[in-house]
Amino acid sequence: MCGIAGYYSREEKDAANQVMLMLYAQQHRGQESCGIAVSKGIKLQLHKSMGYVKEAFPEETLERLSGSVAIGHVRYPTRGDAVIENTQPYIIETLSGPIYAIASNGDIVNYDEVANELRVKGVHFSSKNDGELLGRFIVYYHERKDMEIVDAIRLLMKKIKGAYSAVFLTCSTLYAFRDENGFRPMLMGQRGNHVAFASESCALDILRVDSMREIQPGEIVVVTPQQEIYQSHFHAQLLTTEPLPTPQPHHCVFEMIYFARPDSYQFGEYVYEVRQQIGARLAAYDDDIGDVVVPVPDSANFIAMGYALAKNIPFQMGLIRNHYVGRTFIRPDQYTRDESVRQKFNPLKDFFTGKRVILVDDSIVRGTTIRKLVRMLKGAGAREVHLRIGSPPVKFSCYYGIDTPNPSELIANNMTVDEIQEYIGADSLKYLAIDDLQKCVQSCDKFCYACFNGKYPVPKSQMGVETPVGEEVGK
Ligand code: SF4
């Protein structure tokens, strides 16, 4: 999880403001903390804060951050605690002052191995965050081994395994790069002489970019100032490297099911279209079992819509979500999660009485939220609640940046589908089959499905963690 943004303009001084707008559009990717680093010419300036983007960047703060190149980050912690020290972007201080910054999305699976190698070479870390590791790696090879930054990033891609989409800032140049598997999304947009990078296209839409494309897995894009001959102003010069030869991308399919905003375009297709197809596939499993289709808002809205359209059954928003409570799935501790379920959803009064309800959710992780919701609907008078899930059972943990819990906490790792149905109290329960999920995305062999089938694209030997039952891809 997490969302990143980068913006480059040589004419305007409002890069931090543009980055703030992009972070705002990506708030769903992380709500614990956020930050923006901006170039002030000969040094960088950083502002970071716990909490939401809206509160972190009032007008007076943005005025202080005036500058033409900036990067930003919204964070949900998957490595390291939710404290300000782990908040990104990371500024890397050198003898010349704060002149490098980085923001990244994803999880590095060989973190310990690479961090220890750098420690032996005399590099010190102030946090346990992946972003800091990426930044210190680049700066070490650039400053102490005289490598060009692009070459240091190339080396990083060969040595550091796992998921990372990142933006790296110097006082004059902006770099964007993505791991060779392309686990996490990352796009680039251009409007005139302005260049923007973001985790999701919805953030670039806000800037009304003229053109947009994905950063390829293993690609580095560099935006540098280039002075026009006979003129005093600069133009952005775009350089891109040939992507690393990668045997196979492995985009996170969970981004399409749950995590990304439905209005985003990523991995070559529109998220809302994939979700509607998932709903239609689920509908094909059933005869006439319900009077109304109700989503668990918001991530299941389009899946439920696809189901309802395919079956010609009314789609109704019978559950109302309080949008000012954070996502249940991404709140770390159990107490907060339990409380927030009650605070977050409320059924429409008299709506469910006597109805056979098809309740649609995107996934079941621990089962605690959906169990409460099924009880809530029955308490509100529903005659039957048939639960349909837009993904296969989540049985394995993710090591590539989505905060699924330890396998022992995953309900599908401990119970059969029948047992889950009984525990949850639904009248029936069906999950989407993995081969049907694969039919809902255009290039099914370019996705990672490891949390469903345990086939981890990055070999276990590089993870430094004990992986559960599944296999590595290709074995
Ligand atoms: Fe996405 Fe699951 Fe793969 Fe993690 S394991 S990258 S959540 S598909």
Side-chain angles (χ1 to χ4, degrees):
M1 297 186 271
C2 300
I4 56 171
Y7 190 84
Y8 189 106
S9 161
R10 289 314 297 180
E11 295 121 20
E12 318 282 347
K13 294 286 181 195
D14 66 342
N17 194 51
Q18 306 292 342
V19 166
M20 187 274 293
L21 289 173
M22 288 194 279
L23 295 182
Y24 201 18
Q26 299 181 111
Q27 188 77 81
H28 61 289
R29 296 187 71 85
Q31 300 154 357
E32 293 288 351
S33 59
C34 53
I36 293 177
V38 63
S39 167
K40 292 292 206 180
I42 54 165
K43 63 175 187 166
L44 304 183
Q45 187 179 337
L46 173 70
H47 177 79
K48 55 186 186 178
S49 165
M50 300 305 291
Y52 289 82
V53 174
K54 204 160 96 182
E55 280 88 44
F57 295 99
E59 223 172 296
E60 55 276 18
T61 303
L62 286 170
E63 275 168 21
R64 280 202 308 275
L65 292 173
S66 81
S68 53
V69 197
I71 61 172
H73 190 264
V74 284
R75 176 170 195 253
Y76 175 79
T78 50
R79 184 191 301 277
D81 297 331
V83 292
I84 196 74
E85 292 74 27
N86 283 326
T87 299
Q88 294 191 41
Y90 265 102
I91 290 270
I92 298 177
E93 293 266 357
T94 67
L95 292 175
S96 313
I99 54 170
Y100 306 104
I102 190 160
S104 78
N105 171 210
D107 266 3
I108 294 165
V109 297
N110 60 345
Y111 175 95
D112 289 336
E113 186 188 315
V114 179
N116 286 339
E117 257 180 48
L118 287 178
R119 280 190 194 104
V120 168
K121 295 176 199 291
V123 176
H124 297 285
F125 291 86
S126 59
S127 76
K128 288 188 170 172
N129 192 280
D130 292 349
E132 186 183 5
L133 179 68
L134 295 171
R136 292 210 181 271
F137 187 100
I138 296 166
V139 172
Y140 172 82
Y141 282 98
H142 175 56
E143 292 252 326
R144 297 208 215 159
K145 300 289 172 189
D146 275 342
M147 269 189 190
E148 293 294 329
I149 288 178
V150 166
D151 294 330
I153 297 174
R154 275 272 192 230
L155 183 64
L156 176 154
M157 286 177 170
K158 285 182 190 142
K159 298 263 281 185
I160 299 186
K161 299 298 168 190
Y164 48 86
S165 289
V167 278
F168 182 80
L169 179 67
T170 70
C171 291
S172 62
T173 303
L174 177 59
Y175 301 79
F177 59 96
R178 197 171 170 210
D179 68 80
E180 60 181 340
N181 288 288
F183 281 109
R184 300 283 141 233
M186 188 177 194
L187 297 100
M188 175 176 88
Q190 281 180 272
R191 181 165 55 90
N193 200 24
H194 310 260
V195 184
F197 300 96
S199 297
E200 287 193 37
S201 67
C202 62
L204 299 176
D205 289 341
I206 285 202
L207 305 189
R208 295 198 290 275
V209 295
D210 304 322
S211 64
M212 197 189 294
R213 75 164 177 90
E214 295 197 49
I215 307 294
Q216 297 305 308
E219 184 186 15
I220 307 164
V221 178
V222 188
V223 197
T224 58
Q226 190 183 44
Q227 191 165 20
E228 276 212 346
I229 305 168
Y230 309 123
Q231 290 185 34
S232 59
H233 67 270
F234 288 82
H235 279 284
Q237 184 185 36
L238 259 180
L239 307 166
T240 63
T241 64
E242 194 61 29
L244 281 183
T246 175
Q248 187 70 41
H250 289 101
H251 310 311
C252 171
V253 80
F254 223 94
E255 292 265 359
M256 306 305 272
I257 297 166
Y258 164 77
F259 201 49
R261 258 175 54 163
D263 51 335
S264 282
Y265 175 89
Q266 60 190 34
F267 311 144
E269 51 199 314
Y270 291 103
V271 173
Y272 79 93
E273 282 185 351
V274 172
R275 290 185 187 164
Q276 285 196 328
Q277 283 186 51
I278 287 173
R281 296 244 165 219
L282 278 173
Y285 297 170
D286 291 328
D287 297 325
D288 173 24
I289 57 159
D291 306 313
V292 65
V293 181
V294 173
V296 176
D298 290 322
S299 49
N301 288 357
F302 282 88
I303 302 175
M305 212 178 286
Y307 187 110
L309 284 169
K311 277 277 186 247
N312 204 17
I313 301 174
F315 166 88
Q316 296 272 8
M317 299 296 291
L319 266 176
I320 302 304
R321 179 184 157 187
N322 179 348
H323 287 92
Y324 302 97
V325 179
R327 281 184 168 200
T328 312
F329 178 47
I330 64 172
R331 295 190 71 94
D333 65 280
Q334 186 68 41
Y335 175 78
T336 318
R337 193 163 38 244
D338 285 352
E339 279 305 299
S340 60
V341 174
R342 280 189 287 273
Q343 291 163 12
K344 193 167 164 185
F345 298 105
N346 199 25
L348 293 181
K349 299 288 175 282
D350 297 335
F351 172 83
F352 289 100
T353 310
K355 287 196 174 87
R356 296 175 305 153
V357 179
I358 298 162
L359 181 64
V360 179
D361 205 353
D362 50 81
S363 55
I364 304 179
V365 180
R366 294 178 177 86
T368 47
T369 304
I370 197 68
R371 187 179 190 220
K372 286 187 171 75
L373 288 178
V374 170
R375 280 188 191 167
M376 200 183 266
L377 297 203
K378 293 231 165 168
R383 180 150 58 99
E384 294 168 14
V385 177
H386 300 278
L387 183 58
R388 297 295 176 264
I389 304 298
S391 67
V394 178
K395 292 186 176 178
F396 305 95
S397 295
C398 174
Y399 301 105
Y400 313 129
I402 296 272
D403 188 31
T404 45
N406 186 293
S408 63
E409 293 176 54
L410 296 168
I411 193 168
N413 197 35
N414 298 308
M415 294 186 195
T416 65
V417 174
D418 288 347
E419 287 168 345
I420 297 170
Q421 180 189 323
E422 199 184 325
Y423 169 78
I424 283 170
D427 293 279
S428 70
L429 166 64
K430 285 183 187 168
Y431 286 90
L432 185 71
I434 199 160
D435 51 345
D436 278 334
L437 172 61
Q438 288 170 332
K439 287 173 193 149
C440 295
V441 287
Q442 278 169 20
S443 306
C444 64
D445 56 343
K446 292 189 176 158
F447 281 87
C448 168
Y449 305 93
C451 48
F452 309 122
N453 62 13
K455 295 183 179 180
Y456 289 93
V458 175
K460 287 180 218 171
S461 58
Q462 291 173 1
M463 285 194 188
V465 289
E466 198 178 322
T467 54
V469 193
E471 312 155 26
E472 292 153 22
V473 165
K475 291 198 176 170

